[in-house]
Amino acid sequence: DAGVTQSPTHLIKTRGQQVTLRCSPKSGHDTVSWYQQALGQGPQFIFQYYEEEERQRGNFPDRFSGHQFPNYSSELNVNALLLGDSALYLCASSIRQGSDGYTFGSGTRLTVV
Amino acid sequence: GQQVMQIPQYQHVQEGEDFTTYCNSSTTLSNIQWYKQRPGGHPVFLIQLVKSGEVKKQKRLTFQFGEAKKNSSLHITATQTTDVGTYFCAGRKSSASKIIFGSGTRLSIRP
């Protein structure tokens, strides 16, 4: 039973570029949440997708957008990259009405230069 | 907005000593979860507490949820080197709302 899969694992981009990160949730999970984790900090909530719609959003600018596909997989897009966007981006899947915690992927380490 | 704070930020203990991290929310929570993140790894779900005053144990780990459902603690008895990592609490205001993570407590251990 596959857990949460994220790709790519590492990425280096230049300021101003755009990036797309991908996530496949754990089998049986229908909800995907994205988090940004800076070094030494706790994960910061970006947004959550359920039934292909953004359901909740954290304090992130519109440069951060996402999508969820019919197979529950998800993408995180970041436009006009800034140096401050360098972080570990974590995808977490869960069951919408479930009582268990989130299952996290190993993350994508994004470096903006 | 909702904030979840954790103390201490760091804790360095001798192997065999106990360890406690405390979590406080600015708002009443529906439930609270605890995660462990090993160095270089990703958060791994440990447990969820739902009821006021709830206490749960996992081997040497004891988790408590405050009576007012605004604070929580994690206590590790007789730490081992395998306990090294950062422990995060994460709270949600309702069953379907987003989970907000605390800043974490990083535990390091002297063998």
Side-chain angles (χ1 to χ4, degrees), chain A residues 44-111:
Chain A
Q44 298 296 309
F45 178 77
I46 303 174
F47 42 54
Q48 183 181 82
Y49 277 84
Y50 171 68
E51 291 186 332
E52 302 178 50
E53 290 189 16
E54 182 183 294
R55 300 291 177 169
Q56 299 182 76
R57 189 178 182 92
N59 295 324
F60 280 81
D62 292 344
R63 297 187 297 109
F64 290 76
S65 63
H67 191 76
Q68 186 179 33
F69 299 94
N71 66 353
Y72 307 117
S73 67
S74 177
E75 289 182 349
L76 163 65
N77 301 291
V78 186
N79 294 323
L81 285 167
L82 304 174
L83 295 179
D85 294 331
S86 295
L88 179 67
Y89 288 84
L90 294 162
C91 169
S93 73
S94 58
I95 300 172
R96 182 70 169 174
Q97 299 300 330
S99 59
D100 292 335
Y102 286 0
T103 301
F104 280 85
S106 299
T108 295
R109 173 71 62 186
L110 172 65
T111 303

Side-chain angles (χ1 to χ4, degrees), chain B residues 12-64:
Chain B
H12 187 57
V13 301
Q14 182 77 39
E15 187 175 13
E17 291 182 338
D18 292 356
F19 160 78
T20 304
T21 174
Y22 300 91
C23 179
N24 287 286
S25 170
S26 58
T27 59
T28 302
L29 300 171
S30 168
N31 58 63
I32 196 158
Q33 300 176 355
W34 285 89
Y35 292 79
K36 177 183 178 180
Q37 186 172 21
R38 295 182 183 274
H42 57 276
V44 174
F45 174 70
L46 295 177
I47 208 162
Q48 176 171 273
L49 304 171
V50 179
K51 300 176 183 177
S52 169
E54 188 171 13
V55 178
K56 286 188 176 180
K57 292 190 176 184
Q58 288 180 349
K59 298 182 180 178
R60 294 177 294 103
L61 278 61
T62 301
F63 304 84
Q64 292 189 336

